Amino acid sequence: MPTPKWCLVTGSSRGIGAAIARKLADDGFAIVLHARSNRQACEELAAELGSRGTPTRILMFDVSDRETAAGILQADMAEHGAYYGIVCNAGITRDTPFPAMEGNQWDAVLRTDLDSFYNVLSPCIMPMIQNRKGGRIITISSISGVVGNRGQVNYSAAKAGIIGATKALALELAKRNITVNCIAPGIIETDMTSNLPLDELRKMVPLRRLGTADDIAAAASFLMSDGAAYITRQVINVNGGMA
């Protein structure tokens, strides 16, 4: 039986991250789940995936904490080897109009949503390269990072930064057969959007429905697959036609 390829999915205790973890498990990957604090949700998902025969383990750390993230990731790879795939999904919002935005609202979003690109990927890249088996990196941006959104200057800045970083890293890693792509979701029904006027937002979507976490997971599944071997440096917009 072939050795499974391990995929790390950050922010996978719920929502989009959990849906991606489930889909990649369906595709035959072994899954490294991650959360900042909700270990119970990760354990429940690990049990679900394990009951279907998927090898699974859990890492707990704050993606905005550079030293802790590096230490935990390095220790995990030292014991289990380099990851084949990484999905950088963990993120937060702190929405408010820019004139009223506090410095801590700006800092929290930039440190969690943008700095985590470095904090998670930096410890992982050289092991992937040295493994000489190629790999897949998927980042999660947002329609807010593509077109901007009022009340989300901090979030839009972070998610636009993710797009730029993704495109640059894709160029650096292409000769190593490691693809780096970005998914930019539109309005997705998750816990993060539960307090928004969803009926009004639905009218803004040409397909006249909100997205689901499974819509994003399907795109991640393709980008992680062998069929996407010649796709890198791309931003895949999954937004029902909004942009």
Side-chain angles (χ1 to χ4, degrees):
M1 188 173 181
T3 302
K5 295 178 178 178
W6 285 90
C7 291
L8 167 67
V9 184
T10 67
S12 48
S13 64
R14 60 191 176 96
I16 290 173
I20 291 173
R22 288 188 178 96
K23 181 59 177 170
L24 295 181
D26 288 343
D27 294 340
F29 292 99
I31 306 297
V32 182
L33 299 170
H34 160 268
R36 179 179 61 85
S37 57
N38 196 346
R39 185 173 188 92
Q40 181 178 347
C42 279
E43 289 177 346
E44 291 171 357
L45 181 53
E48 174 191 330
L49 299 181
S51 70
R52 291 153 39 184
T54 299
T56 309
R57 60 182 186 269
I58 298 170
L59 300 181
M60 301 291 299
F61 60 87
D62 184 341
V63 294
S64 71
D65 185 334
R66 183 166 298 161
E67 291 186 5
T68 299
I72 289 174
L73 290 167
Q74 288 165 352
D76 187 61
M77 289 182 290
E79 182 175 356
H80 300 285
Y83 310 121
Y84 173 78
I86 301 171
V87 182
C88 294
N89 167 74
I92 62 171
T93 57
R94 296 290 185 270
D95 296 351
T96 194
F98 189 73
M101 186 174 291
E102 301 287 342
N104 61 355
Q105 293 173 306
W106 176 272
D107 291 342
V109 171
L110 269 291
R111 288 171 182 168
T112 300
D113 294 21
L114 180 56
D115 288 358
S116 61
F117 180 97
Y118 179 89
N119 298 346
V120 171
L121 293 180
S122 179
C124 300
I125 295 301
M126 281 310 300
M128 290 180 78
I129 291 172
Q130 292 165 352
N131 204 32
R132 298 181 182 275
K133 294 182 179 178
R136 301 278 187 270
I137 295 171
I138 301 170
T139 62
I140 305 297
S141 180
S142 168
I143 190 171
S144 295
V146 176
V147 301
N149 189 31
R150 66 184 68 191
Q152 290 191 318
V153 174
N154 49 358
Y155 188 69
S156 298
K159 292 302 188 177
I162 288 291
I163 291 173
T166 298
K167 287 178 173 288
L169 185 60
L171 289 175
E172 293 188 6
L173 297 182
K175 64 183 178 181
R176 307 291 186 175
N177 199 30
I178 299 171
T179 66
V180 190
N181 291 290
C182 180
I183 299 172
I187 305 169
I188 309 299
E189 284 194 88
T190 66
D191 292 347
M192 288 181 68
T193 59
S194 61
N195 62 338
L196 299 178
L198 298 183
D199 288 340
E200 291 300 313
L201 293 173
R202 191 175 289 109
K203 297 175 184 177
M204 300 167 55
V205 183
L207 281 181
R208 289 298 185 265
R209 73 169 178 87
L210 302 183
T212 68
D214 288 340
D215 290 324
I216 309 305
S221 170
F222 173 65
L223 291 174
M224 195 66 71
S225 73
D226 291 342
Y230 201 55
I231 299 173
T232 196
R233 205 185 177 204
Q234 301 305 303
V235 179
I236 310 300
N237 291 287
V238 186
N239 60 34
M242 291 183 68

